[in-house]
Amino acid sequence: MKVVIVGGVAGGATAAARIRRLDEQAEIVVFERSGYISYANCGLPYYIGDVITDSDELTLQTPESFFRRFRIQMKVHHEVTAIHPEKKTVSVRNLLTGAEFEERYDKLVLSPGARPTQPKLPGIGSEKLFTLRTVEDTLRIKDYINKNQPKSAVLAGGGFIGLELAENLRSLGMEVTIVQRPKQLMNPFDPDMAALIHSEMRKHGVKLALGYTVEGFKEGSDGVDVLLKDAAPLHADMVILAIGVTPETTLAREAGLELGIKGSILVNDRMETSVPDIYAAGDAVQVKHYVTGEPALISLAGPANKQGRIIADNICGGDSRYQGSQGSSVVKIFDMTAATTGLNEGNARKAGLDVDTVILSPMSHAGYYPGGRVMTMKVIFEKETYRLLGAQIVGYEGVDKRIDVLATAIHAGLKATRLKDLDLAYAPPYSSAKDPVNMAGFMIDNIARGTLKQWHLADAEKLPRDGSVTLLDTRTVGEYRRGHIDGFTNIPVDELRDRLSELEAGKPVYVICQSGLRSYIASRILEGHGFEAYNFSGGFRFYDAVMNDRCLIESATLCGMDR
């Protein structure tokens, strides 16, 4: 059996190695357009910022080491230019010599990945404008920085690559501005959770120009102007486009393979394309979203590697199936960590689901053990069924382990109420006896039992100020004086029982505190004395962070580079 693989990164390299482990006799040839195989896309920004100082560390294998271990031909600088399914051959061009030839296959694996999205804008070919996808891209950016010592950069795009680049360029002492059309960074997060990410970026000197459309670039001797719609240009010494990726599916389209959303390659759960004996994996393929079951494009390394393994199993006579992508991801943002899995609230509602959320701010570990930091968790679930749909966490220590627990719970089909039952490891330096994941489960279980009724950020502006409801802030007097929502009366929770006479019977009471805990206690006191009480989800700390972020985005001008 002869297997030809197009693309030697992630899915392609994984498929190649797995096929060899399952079949010692198979002939395996991998064609990779770049000069590198099996490299760590996610590590590229950290080489630019000198966190990784040796470029050899970016590649997990070389063609030589791959051949020594697996006897697999890794042909770099070779571009597959056409697929001929009827002949079971591919056309290949040697990019170093220009020589062209055809290669026969019994099984063909497509793992071409995705290319950085490059809109057709004026000035897109500027030598001071870069994209970041391959090792060569990384070396090109690093070489430009070393030779020209730029003092400023504009990053067009605020996704994973944009944020990681911003941090690493700041570590080199550069002024950094992120500009993009959406009014938030990191679209997998809901806007309220993204507000916490924005705050961390601003804290470290990254300027945000959110809600602006890039219309082109104009290069000059002193740098590049980023031309914006209805706004003054942004000027910088260099520009990096990080506005997303587009599936690289030219070969598949020209060969007549069936395509899916945004031109991606359509595959079944065995990763088989519409043409017999041709498989596909990675960023180029359409997948099923694990939560909704709907078609999706999810460009992450984990799914690509799993798909490569599944392809290898099936080529070698097995029957492995890909169950779908959940979108679990984590990103370092200076001192902070942000992570997400499953659906965010916005996408859940777009999918037609009737959802509710809980927002909590637990400590990363036991409060009495030094060094604990607050994290903010948002858990999304379906009303009535309590199906767990997704989660987002922004914090410091322990974020990654909690998101992995929640991702596992979603994959296992646990109801959100069952989070309270998970038996999770505890020691004071690592967690609390009531782990943050358990705490989310307790809250959702209270909702299911009717013990907890909530009001949310979206309700804040709708709350009547005509006296028909009671608005109650249960923080201390000092906390209240430092900032509160207009119209809310202050009665500290520890004084509430003695001051119930100040509240008018028969009126619903909307309660808030700093994090949501004291206001929950207050709501139970009120319910116990015949009031109907609603607790604010997230607390004033969360409300204040989100509202301050909205004000900065809406009212600030580009003069301060932070709209």
Side-chain angles (χ1 to χ4, degrees):
M1 177 177 65
K2 182 173 182 178
V3 182
V4 169
I5 299 174
V6 181
V9 184
T14 296
R18 175 75 171 169
I19 291 168
R20 172 59 73 229
R21 289 194 293 270
L22 297 176
D23 186 345
E24 183 65 18
Q25 307 308 317
E27 181 183 356
I28 307 167
V29 182
V30 180
F31 294 111
E32 168 57 40
R33 181 168 47 191
S34 77
Y36 299 87
I37 63 159
S38 191
Y39 59 82
N41 298 75
C42 302
L44 301 182
Y46 297 98
Y47 177 73
I48 292 170
D50 289 336
V51 176
I52 300 170
T53 55
D54 185 351
S55 61
D56 290 342
E57 295 295 323
L58 296 174
T59 52
L60 306 177
Q61 294 275 2
T62 65
E64 294 76 19
S65 67
F66 218 89
F67 184 80
R68 282 196 302 271
R69 178 157 297 181
F70 298 110
R71 290 299 186 268
I72 291 172
Q73 300 178 62
M74 283 282 187
K75 297 190 175 183
V76 296
H77 298 301
H78 280 69
E79 181 178 17
V80 174
T81 57
I83 303 168
H84 311 290
E86 69 287 351
K87 296 191 296 182
K88 281 198 165 184
T89 65
V90 294
S91 296
V92 187
R93 179 186 297 118
N94 184 324
L95 297 177
L96 297 181
T97 67
E100 298 186 3
F101 58 93
E102 284 197 4
E103 190 83 17
R104 183 190 63 81
Y105 67 82
D106 296 309
K107 304 288 184 180
L108 177 64
V109 180
L110 302 180
S111 184
R115 62 185 183 276
T117 301
Q118 283 193 301
K120 295 179 181 179
L121 297 174
I124 199 73
S126 168
E127 293 184 356
K128 297 175 182 177
L129 194 150
F130 302 86
T131 59
L132 179 60
R133 186 67 178 173
T134 65
V135 175
E136 284 92 344
D137 293 336
T138 309
L139 299 178
R140 194 176 303 115
I141 293 171
K142 189 64 176 173
D143 183 62
Y144 182 86
I145 291 173
N146 289 340
K147 288 181 177 177
N148 298 279
Q149 299 295 308
K151 298 293 188 294
S152 60
V154 168
L155 308 179
F160 289 98
I161 292 295
L163 267 63
E164 291 166 348
L165 272 172
E167 176 179 349
N168 282 279
L169 294 177
R170 284 294 294 152
S171 73
L172 298 178
M174 296 173 64
E175 290 186 4
V176 177
T177 301
I178 297 178
V179 58
Q180 68 168 13
R181 185 182 304 166
K183 290 187 177 181
Q184 71 165 87
L185 304 175
M186 295 297 293
N187 285 333
F189 291 78
D190 286 311
D192 51 5
M193 295 295 286
L196 306 176
I197 297 172
H198 298 169
S199 178
E200 184 73 3
M201 298 296 282
R202 295 184 185 109
K203 173 183 169 184
H204 287 87
V206 177
K207 299 169 184 178
L208 306 181
L210 305 178
Y212 287 94
T213 301
V214 175
E215 292 195 320
F217 308 92
K218 185 177 180 180
E219 182 177 343
S221 59
D222 61 342
V224 185
D225 283 337
V226 180
L227 308 178
L228 305 179
K229 183 178 180 180
D230 301 325
L234 295 172
H235 184 79
D237 295 329
M238 64 184 297
V239 174
I240 302 177
L241 288 181
I243 56 178
V245 294
T246 302
E248 181 58 87
T249 57
T250 303
L251 281 174
R253 183 180 67 253
E254 292 178 350
L257 275 64
E258 191 172 345
L259 303 181
I261 55 176
K262 297 185 179 179
S264 57
I265 302 172
L266 197 64
V267 293
N268 61 18
D269 59 358
R270 285 171 49 88
M271 307 310 296
E272 296 168 322
T273 71
S274 60
V275 174
D277 297 321
I278 300 181
Y279 299 76
D283 295 354
V285 304
Q286 173 182 300
V287 297
K288 177 183 72 175
H289 196 288
Y290 187 80
V291 178
T292 65
E294 296 299 315
L297 286 176
I298 297 178
S299 299
L300 294 169
N305 280 278
K306 294 182 186 74
Q307 293 159 12
R309 178 186 172 91
I310 287 167
I311 289 172
D313 288 350
N314 293 328
I315 284 176
C316 295
D319 186 24
S320 291
R321 308 274 173 162
Y322 187 65
Q323 297 185 24
S325 295
Q326 201 169 299
S328 301
S329 56
V330 63
V331 61
K332 180 181 180 294
I333 305 165
F334 294 98
D335 301 325
M336 186 175 270
T337 300
T340 182
T341 187
L343 293 176
N344 63 28
E345 182 182 2
N347 287 336
R349 294 191 186 280
K350 288 177 184 176
L353 298 172
D354 188 15
V355 303
D356 200 357
T357 67
V358 293
I359 297 171
L360 59 157
S361 300
M363 295 288 285
S364 57
H365 61 243
Y368 59 82
Y369 188 88
R373 304 287 296 273
V374 170
M375 66 176 71
T376 301
M377 297 176 59
K378 181 174 185 177
V379 180
I380 300 99
F381 57 96
E382 190 173 26
K383 291 181 180 178
E384 304 299 331
T385 67
Y386 290 92
R387 179 165 67 115
L388 189 59
L389 300 175
Q392 299 154 59
I393 311 177
V394 179
Y396 300 89
E397 296 176 1
V399 168
D400 52 342
K401 88 170 184 177
R402 271 64 183 225
I403 207 69
D404 282 343
V405 170
L406 290 161
T408 303
I410 292 171
H411 189 84
L414 290 186
K415 288 188 175 183
T417 50
R418 291 289 309 281
L419 296 176
K420 67 180 176 30
D421 302 320
L422 295 178
D423 193 350
L424 304 174
Y426 159 62
Y430 302 105
S431 185
S432 299
K434 297 176 182 178
D435 187 87
V437 174
N438 294 139
M439 289 300 300
F442 294 146
M443 294 172 68
I444 297 168
D445 184 63
N446 280 338
I447 292 171
R449 294 171 181 269
T451 305
L452 170 63
K453 295 190 287 287
Q454 297 189 111
W455 64 284
H456 297 278
L457 190 66
D459 304 318
E461 294 181 1
K462 305 172 189 174
L463 289 178
R465 263 66 172 186
D466 58 2
S468 59
V469 301
T470 299
L471 307 177
L472 181 63
D473 189 321
T474 60
R475 295 176 297 156
T476 65
V477 172
E479 288 175 309
Y480 180 82
R481 285 175 177 166
R482 286 192 289 272
H484 59 269
I485 304 175
D486 289 345
F488 276 72
T489 300
N490 180 222
I491 301 178
V493 64
D494 293 336
E495 301 175 15
L496 182 57
R497 289 184 180 88
D498 298 326
R499 297 175 61 181
L500 288 172
S501 60
E502 299 177 27
L503 306 180
E504 188 174 338
K507 290 183 179 180
V509 185
Y510 289 80
V511 195
I512 193 170
C513 73
Q514 191 70 5
S515 68
L517 175 58
R518 284 173 288 174
S519 52
Y520 168 63
I521 294 169
S523 71
R524 296 309 305 148
I525 294 171
L526 291 165
E527 292 275 350
H529 287 83
F531 291 88
E532 182 182 3
Y534 297 86
N535 185 34
F536 180 69
S537 180
F540 184 80
R541 169 185 165 273
F542 183 73
Y543 171 90
D544 193 45
V546 175
M547 298 309 291
N548 282 338
D549 181 65
R550 288 182 182 176
C551 288
L552 284 170
I553 292 172
E554 295 299 334
S555 65
T557 68
L558 274 176
C559 295
M561 297 288 192
D562 194 353
R563 171 176 168 179

